[in-house]
Amino acid sequence: MRIGLTGGIGSGKSTVASILVSAGATLIDTDAIARAIAQPHGAAMPAIEAEFGPAVIAADGGLDRARMRDLVFADTGARKRLEAILHPLISAECEGQASAAAGQLIVFDVPLLVESKRWRALVDRVLVVDATEETQVQRVVARSGWTPEAVRAVIAQQADPAQRRAAADAVIFNEKMSLAELSADVRNLWERWTGAGTR
Ligand code: ADP
């Protein structure tokens, strides 16, 4: 079974991913793949340089992320051209990792799952981790030292919680529960979906 795991920043998505891994799932981290293919010698670099020119290439040969951010921020066409390069490579890498884990429960960690239609077709179930905005802000401030305003700005760019919940087969409301309770909820869900006990 393939599960797509998503949730807003600070919802506890990474925590749920690690609970699933400790129960025996294989995690495929799409953000890590996206970063890796745009590092020096990454699979996306030749196409990025051909499309956008040397101005977006850092001295080490990887993507100059600040330059690219400015470019796609100012120009949605540029964002589409970048995505047209990245998405097929990310999909291919995900497929490679998934086939290496055939027969296991595979969890795709996809921050923008709800925002991206193509993802919904690739997974059997969508698991959404949710929390109130106040809790999201508190957790991210505590975790990373960002200002509350910076966290709120990221939340504002992400899918809204109602849209995320509407796309979900299951929602874990990770609010006012201990990590032990969260772990129990995740393991219960695993049993429900796979009909099997966890390790
Ligand atoms: P996300 O991946 O959604 O941004 P994380 O899983 O990294 O969020 O969680 C953000 C922070 O909140 C982490 O430091 C995590 O340990 C903490 N956290 C998440 N869920 C709980 C919970 N139920 N109880 C206590 N702390 C939690």
Side-chain angles (χ1 to χ4, degrees):
M1 180 182 286
R2 293 175 170 211
I3 295 177
L5 173 66
T6 194
I9 185 170
S11 61
K13 180 175 61 71
S14 312
T15 306
V16 169
S18 60
I19 294 165
L20 287 165
V21 167
S22 66
T26 294
L27 181 67
I28 299 182
D29 181 340
T30 60
D31 255 1
I33 293 172
R35 279 194 301 276
I37 64 177
Q39 276 168 359
H41 313 293
M45 291 317 300
I48 289 176
E49 184 159 10
E51 182 69 36
F52 296 98
V56 300
I57 310 299
D60 63 6
L63 178 64
D64 185 330
R65 289 166 202 276
R67 282 265 170 102
M68 188 53 104
R69 238 190 329 268
D70 290 346
L71 204 67
V72 301
F73 187 73
D75 175 0
T76 52
R79 177 183 294 274
K80 292 221 164 66
R81 278 151 54 214
L82 178 64
E83 287 174 350
I85 294 169
L86 296 180
H87 286 174
L89 292 170
I90 294 170
S91 297
E93 178 61 26
C94 283
E95 273 314 315
Q97 291 189 17
S99 50
Q104 297 177 39
L105 188 105
I106 298 173
V107 178
F108 293 93
D109 181 335
V110 190
L112 301 181
L113 188 140
V114 170
E115 292 86 333
S116 149
K117 287 194 185 67
R118 83 203 156 89
W119 263 106
R120 186 61 191 87
L122 294 176
V123 295
D124 303 306
R125 301 281 163 85
V126 173
L127 172 56
V128 167
V129 186
D130 200 9
T132 62
E133 181 165 330
E134 271 324 297
T135 297
Q136 289 179 271
V137 170
Q138 274 172 22
R139 285 184 185 145
V140 179
V141 167
R143 179 183 66 189
S144 55
W146 292 10
T147 64
E149 293 68 32
V151 183
R152 286 185 209 284
V154 171
I155 291 171
Q157 286 167 6
Q158 296 183 330
D160 87 293
Q163 188 189 356
R164 220 182 259 121
R165 284 192 293 269
D169 294 293
V171 178
I172 292 182
F173 192 50
N174 180 23
E175 185 72 37
K176 295 193 176 62
M177 64 162 101
S178 67
L179 290 170
E181 287 165 325
L182 177 62
S183 178
D185 273 15
V186 172
R187 285 166 183 265
N188 277 336
L189 187 67
W190 170 304
E191 286 172 29
R192 204 142 54 73
W193 278 356
T194 65
T198 58
R199 282 191 229 147

